[in-house]
Amino acid sequence: MEYVEALRDVKQINAIKKYLKKHSERDYLLFVFGINTGLKITEMLEIRASDVLENDHTAKNFYQYSHLDTMKEVYLNQKVKKALLHFVQTNQLDTGDYLFKSNKTEKPITRQQAYRIIHQAAEAIGIEGKIGTNSMRKTFGYHAYRRGVAISLLQKHFNHSTPSETLKYLGISKEEKIKTEIDVNL
């Protein structure tokens, strides 16, 4: 498996979002969902509309999923909810439909297709470096850490055994000085 990098530059993230939104609402949602939840691509591809929507077609605050015989929850922020609701309404998804459904079948897109979507979007806007589906997960972690989320919480989220493993995964060296943005925004 090839090592990929986090997207550290918010301008690049926004450029990818703009590119994907222009080309495919599904692919835009895939990217927004990935960078805002930090889920693995295999976890994301299994999501059905009913997993993230209430009965009245509002977005849930948390997506629950099973991981290694336990239930985990991941927060769905406003950006995810907005993209999700727009996508579901525009495409008139049924509750049993996969969110990231293939255009050819009723099944979700493959990991390889998801990789092509993200990688091609990064190439199209001129991003140098190795970008793939795991870049979304790393981007989530990197920006969460920069905004003051404790490394211990990220370690738990990523299921890593040590904080140093998480820092390495996110591409943050011990010598690197990161200005943490702790913004309570009361």
Side-chain angles (χ1 to χ4, degrees):
M1 183 160 65
E2 195 173 320
Y3 174 80
V4 295
E5 302 166 12
L7 295 161
R8 293 177 172 222
D9 187 344
V10 176
K11 288 179 185 157
Q12 289 180 332
I13 293 169
N14 289 331
I16 289 177
K17 288 197 305 193
K18 185 177 179 182
Y19 173 85
L20 290 171
K21 190 160 182 64
K22 197 169 95 178
H23 289 83
S24 165
E25 288 286 335
R26 180 200 65 198
D27 299 350
Y28 170 77
L29 176 61
L30 178 77
F31 185 70
V32 169
F33 208 102
I35 64 172
N36 284 287
T37 64
L39 289 173
K40 294 178 182 175
I41 192 63
T42 52
E43 295 164 341
M44 287 175 47
L45 295 178
E46 293 301 314
I47 299 172
R48 294 180 186 265
S50 58
D51 297 333
V52 290
L53 297 175
E54 301 287 354
N55 291 336
D56 60 355
H57 291 294
T58 57
K60 293 180 179 179
N61 289 323
F62 288 89
Y63 163 60
Q64 292 185 319
Y65 64 102
S66 62
H67 178 75
L68 301 174
D69 298 329
T70 61
M71 287 304 288
K72 289 185 90 171
E73 290 185 324
V74 67
Y75 179 66
L76 303 179
N77 68 17
Q78 288 305 313
K79 290 201 167 145
V80 171
K81 288 179 182 181
K82 184 178 177 186
L84 177 64
L85 291 174
H86 183 267
F87 178 71
V88 168
Q89 290 164 356
T90 304
N91 294 281
Q92 299 176 333
L93 284 175
D94 291 327
T95 54
D97 288 343
Y98 286 105
L99 273 189
F100 307 109
K101 190 167 66 168
S102 166
N103 294 332
K104 297 174 184 160
T105 70
E106 293 300 309
K107 295 186 184 303
I109 61 173
T110 63
R111 286 183 1 257
Q112 293 81 1
Q113 179 63 18
Y115 171 82
R116 278 193 293 274
I117 290 164
I118 302 306
H119 186 74
Q120 286 171 352
E123 275 186 341
I125 64 158
I127 295 178
E128 303 284 325
K130 297 181 173 107
I131 304 298
T133 52
N134 213 28
S135 296
M136 298 186 293
R137 188 166 159 85
K138 291 180 177 190
T139 298
F140 163 83
Y142 175 80
H143 289 279
Y145 182 70
R146 283 216 42 219
R147 287 180 172 86
V149 174
I151 197 67
S152 59
L153 292 174
L154 293 170
Q155 174 190 340
K156 185 178 177 186
H157 184 79
F158 292 130
N159 216 31
H160 291 161
S161 52
T162 63
S164 60
E165 180 185 1
T166 304
L167 287 170
K168 183 180 178 190
Y169 177 75
L170 299 177
I172 300 168
S173 70
K174 288 185 166 64
E175 297 79 39
E176 188 174 349
K177 297 290 181 226
I178 291 186
K179 292 182 182 178
T180 305
E181 302 166 11
I182 301 176
D183 183 5
V184 185
N185 201 15
L186 299 170

